Amino acid sequence: MGPTGAGPGRAVLPGPVRGWLGAVAGLAAVAVALLGARYGGAGGPGRADVRVRGLLGDAGASWRRLAEGADFLGEPVGAAGLVAAGVLGCLVARRPRAAVLLLGGVGASVAATTLLKPVVGRTIHGGYLAFPSGHTAFLTAFALVVALVVSGRLGLGRTAGLSLVLAAGAVGGALMGWAQIVLDAHYPTDVLGGWCTALAVVPAVAWMVDRLADSPAHTRN
């Protein structure tokens, strides 16, 4: 991903992390492809899925309520509310480019999982398409975008900025992924696929947003 002309605090893909996140996006895309090839057409869990599910065990009533709350954030009403709040925050902070990234990054990540599911053809519970997890991709993408905006706003360097973005993506993906697994909505490898999908998509969308916003045709208007 090449450089853009975005100034400090304006770019949604800050220069210090641009190259590294490009590499992460490439590796994540490869991981999605490999996982899709491995579990394509499968109708049950693999060995890794069984082991991870066994380690998590059965959630108690309080943990299950927490999982259901996290799951709600990936449902249409919950997701719309979370994105709307994020977009409003970006606009109040006078960061319209960040608002575009939030809509585009989250939307593209979920769309990618929707398109991949019938291609991979992995099912759960007798026929529901499962790979990759759209819920996990959604919350991971949301967390990545928020971290990118914060990193750019604070002017963080490469190490701090990359650490913040990857940590936020890990937390968002882990929370939603855990919920999907304990609720038996997805296999663990579906969750991993959703997490990697967001890691592959969000940096690419951020790069495109910066390129379009800094294009000569746009800056003249």
Side-chain angles (χ1 to χ4, degrees):
M1 297 181 184
T4 71
R10 294 177 57 227
V12 289
L13 188 61
V17 303
R18 187 177 301 133
W20 284 99
L21 280 183
V24 169
L27 291 173
V30 171
V32 173
L34 292 176
L35 287 168
R38 168 64 179 83
Y39 295 103
R47 290 183 180 180
D49 297 311
V50 173
R51 290 177 181 175
V52 172
R53 187 66 187 89
L55 288 172
L56 292 178
D58 295 326
S62 58
W63 287 109
R64 189 170 183 84
R65 284 194 294 271
L66 177 61
E68 289 171 347
D71 178 74
F72 175 73
L73 295 177
E75 294 295 319
V77 175
L82 189 60
V83 171
V87 169
L88 180 60
C90 291
L91 295 178
V92 168
R94 297 182 180 180
R95 296 294 298 262
R97 194 184 300 199
V100 172
L101 173 60
L102 185 58
L103 290 170
V106 170
S109 295
V110 174
T113 64
T114 302
L115 293 173
L116 284 169
K117 282 179 179 177
V119 174
V120 175
R122 189 188 200 186
T123 58
I124 191 171
H125 302 316
Y128 293 97
L129 294 173
F131 182 94
S133 166
H135 279 62
T136 307
F138 166 77
L139 198 59
T140 302
F142 185 88
L144 288 172
V145 171
V146 171
L148 279 171
V149 173
V150 171
S151 177
R153 188 73 172 179
L154 297 179
L156 299 181
R158 182 180 65 187
T159 301
L162 186 63
S163 297
L164 174 63
V165 173
L166 294 181
V171 171
L175 173 61
M176 184 62 80
W178 167 80
Q180 297 307 296
I181 295 169
V182 300
L183 294 174
D184 292 317
H186 281 283
Y187 303 120
T189 44
D190 299 333
V191 165
L192 179 59
W195 182 66
C196 288
T197 298
L199 284 174
V201 170
V202 170
V205 173
W207 179 79
M208 290 176 61
V209 169
D210 281 337
R211 292 286 291 185
L212 291 173
D214 294 323
S215 66
H218 184 273
T219 54
R220 284 197 301 266
N221 294 330

